Amino acid sequence: MRKLVALGTTAVLLTAGLSTPAWAAVPDAPTDVQVAWVDGRVRISWQDVGEANTVRVEYPDRPLTQVLEFTEAGAPNEAFANRLVDDNRVRVTVTTKKDGEQSTPTPSAWFDARWATHPVVQDATLLADGSVAMKWTQPAIGVDQTPNDPLDRPLSDEWLKITLTPAKGAKEEFLLPAGATEFTVPPRQRPMTLRMSSGNEWISWIPEGRWVRVGVMSAGMSVPALESYGRYLDIMSTLDLFYCDCAEHGESGITVQLQARANSSAPWKTYGRFGADTVDPVQTPMSSLGGRQYRLWVPAQKAHNGDITLSAATSTAAKSSRTVANMIITRFEPSRLLVGQTTKLNVRVQPAIDMTAALQSWNGKQWRYVRAVPLKKGIAIVPIKATRRGTTTFRIATPPVTVSGLPVLATTSKPFTLTIR
């Protein structure tokens, strides 16, 4: 009975051994694993007997491998990679899979997959001729830890460039020598955007975070054609700043200058500075002190606000405004009196200079000269005796004068009356 039990046990062991043989063979490892550039991609190739394969990527400082591709049995012994992680030492391995068993991995040679480094714009300046001087830094890649690896390419394959994008028309590129840190973009029509990028065999382009936007600033201004002496000219000014995307930007903190000159042959002089933006009109008043020309001057702008924004100085065309005397007081005091009484003609005028005005009366058809009214520093108080009954309308007429080289035109006051009973 014990013997029978022993034989039965042996049979069970033999059956179990047949279902999962202890001698099941591990597939042969692939051979001749190679990497090469083909049409801008990394081609991995190997030799085996046509079994399924697994292609992985290894980095010496990372414990886990990355599966790049699985291939079916009978498929070509190749795989492609468009881009690998930026690293100084990289290799690929290929294993064969058969009947659920994996071969030992076969590695390629070590190579580097170092990306081009980012150029970082430090400064940009819009020059007088319209060119743009740019300066930047670009970190060095470092020492090649796998010299002469199968994927190394000449340094000339690395590129650095500035791309100019205008508001209208085609883009333009300026290729720069490796290691360059400054370049002057020649004058081009504005607005435009300048962007730096770099690249090598591993990456086609790297946009740099700071762009240079070169805008077009335009200014507008309305000036009253005529104003009284000493009164504020209600000058309204506007700004428009356009960048390459042709969108209007409301940049705050732009200081503009209100300038004036006596005539077209005189130099411009700044009389006021005002904070303005490109959204709302700004009032830029100044006193009317004589006939002058006016303009709004906008200095060149430069701002570091993530991007670097630039615009050239600009101004409005000259606009003229004339000045007349400011009649502050023109009346009789009192304006109603009896025959034989005395009244006083009170006149106060700006500019407060010596001049001879005229008292004029209305006869129903025209204004007639009555008498001279001498003004001392713009003031006259003239006693006048009432001699004729009735109500008469008068006005004061001032002559043309020059104040500090600026013309003040002749003008007349509003009519006023004197009643004598």
Side-chain angles (χ1 to χ4, degrees):
M1 197 65 179
R2 293 178 181 173
K3 188 175 183 179
L4 288 174
V5 172
L7 288 173
T9 303
T10 303
V12 172
L13 291 173
L14 289 173
T15 303
L18 290 173
S19 61
T20 307
W23 58 85
V26 174
D28 291 335
T31 60
D32 195 25
V33 176
Q34 301 289 331
V35 288
W37 289 108
V38 176
D39 296 330
R41 298 186 298 170
V42 178
R43 177 178 180 265
I44 303 104
S45 61
W46 61 93
Q47 300 294 325
D48 66 4
V49 293
E51 302 296 343
N53 301 105
T54 302
V55 181
R56 291 180 172 85
V57 182
E58 290 186 353
Y59 306 90
D61 55 348
R62 305 179 192 187
L64 299 178
T65 60
Q66 173 191 351
V67 175
L68 184 64
E69 189 168 337
F70 296 104
T71 63
E72 300 291 337
N77 290 344
E78 64 178 4
F80 291 90
N82 291 326
R83 184 181 298 179
L84 298 176
V85 174
D86 185 0
D87 203 287
N88 279 315
R89 286 175 62 81
V90 185
R91 72 179 181 181
V92 295
T93 64
V94 183
T95 57
T96 296
K97 182 177 181 181
K98 181 178 180 181
D99 296 331
E101 295 292 327
Q102 291 273 2
S103 72
T104 57
T106 302
S108 69
W110 287 103
F111 57 90
D112 67 80
R114 299 180 304 171
W115 297 0
T117 58
H118 293 247
V120 179
V121 176
Q122 301 298 313
D123 193 19
T125 302
L126 181 59
L127 304 180
D129 64 352
S131 58
V132 181
M134 296 179 59
K135 296 182 180 181
W136 64 90
T137 59
Q138 185 179 13
I141 292 179
V143 178
D144 187 352
Q145 297 184 19
T146 58
N148 302 315
D149 69 57
L151 298 181
D152 272 353
R153 286 189 173 180
L155 290 177
S156 59
D157 286 351
E158 296 190 6
W159 51 263
L160 175 68
K161 67 183 178 182
I162 295 173
T163 301
L164 185 158
T165 305
K168 296 180 180 180
K171 294 182 179 180
E172 187 175 359
E173 293 184 343
F174 301 93
L175 288 175
L176 309 173
T181 57
E182 58 183 58
F183 180 74
T184 298
V185 179
R188 293 293 186 268
Q189 185 176 359
R190 300 186 295 270
M192 62 181 175
T193 295
L194 301 172
R195 174 177 57 84
M196 291 205 68
S197 58
S198 61
N200 61 7
E201 65 268 28
W202 289 105
I203 192 165
S204 58
W205 58 273
I206 300 177
E208 190 271 312
R210 175 178 287 173
W211 292 19
V212 177
R213 299 181 182 274
V214 187
V216 174
M217 180 82 77
S218 61
M221 183 175 64
S222 62
V223 179
L226 186 69
E227 186 54 87
S228 297
Y229 187 91
R231 302 267 313 259
Y232 274 122
L233 282 168
D234 188 17
I235 301 175
M236 297 299 295
S237 302
T238 58
L239 293 178
D240 289 310
L241 178 58
F242 292 91
Y243 293 124
C244 186
D245 56 7
C246 291
E248 189 173 0
H249 294 252
E251 299 295 327
S252 60
I254 297 175
T255 300
V256 299
Q257 299 176 19
L258 184 60
Q259 299 182 336
R261 63 184 179 182
N263 50 61
S264 59
S265 61
W268 290 102
K269 182 179 178 181
T270 297
Y271 286 87
R273 290 177 170 83
F274 303 87
D277 58 41
T278 58
V279 176
D280 301 313
V282 59
Q283 190 173 30
T284 53
M286 66 180 296
S287 295
S288 181
L289 301 179
R292 287 187 288 192
Q293 292 183 337
Y294 301 88
R295 75 174 182 181
L296 187 72
W297 173 262
V298 186
Q301 301 296 309
K302 182 175 183 178
H304 292 259
N305 48 6
D307 295 337
I308 298 177
T309 59
L310 305 170
S311 64
T314 188
S315 72
T316 62
K319 295 192 174 183
S320 298
S321 179
R322 297 176 300 164
T323 301
V324 296
N326 186 3
M327 301 294 191
I328 301 173
I329 298 175
T330 53
R331 61 177 177 249
F332 286 103
E333 297 176 346
S335 62
R336 300 175 69 88
L337 69 163
L338 301 175
V339 172
Q341 292 181 326
T342 300
T343 185
K344 291 181 180 179
L345 175 62
N346 190 349
V347 179
R348 294 177 185 270
V349 176
Q350 286 185 332
I353 62 173
D354 295 347
M355 70 178 81
T356 300
L359 178 65
Q360 298 175 344
S361 65
W362 179 252
N363 65 5
K365 294 183 180 180
Q366 63 182 358
W367 291 99
R368 300 187 58 161
Y369 175 83
V370 176
R371 59 167 294 170
V373 181
L375 301 174
K376 297 293 288 185
K377 296 184 178 179
I379 299 174
I381 300 177
V382 182
I384 297 177
K385 188 174 183 178
T387 60
R388 184 183 301 176
R389 290 183 176 87
T391 298
T392 307
T393 299
F394 296 91
R395 73 178 184 182
I396 296 294
T398 60
V401 296
T402 299
V403 182
S404 300
L406 301 176
V408 178
L409 303 180
T411 190
T412 57
S413 70
K414 291 180 180 180
F416 55 95
T417 61
L418 176 65
T419 301
I420 302 173
R421 296 185 301 238

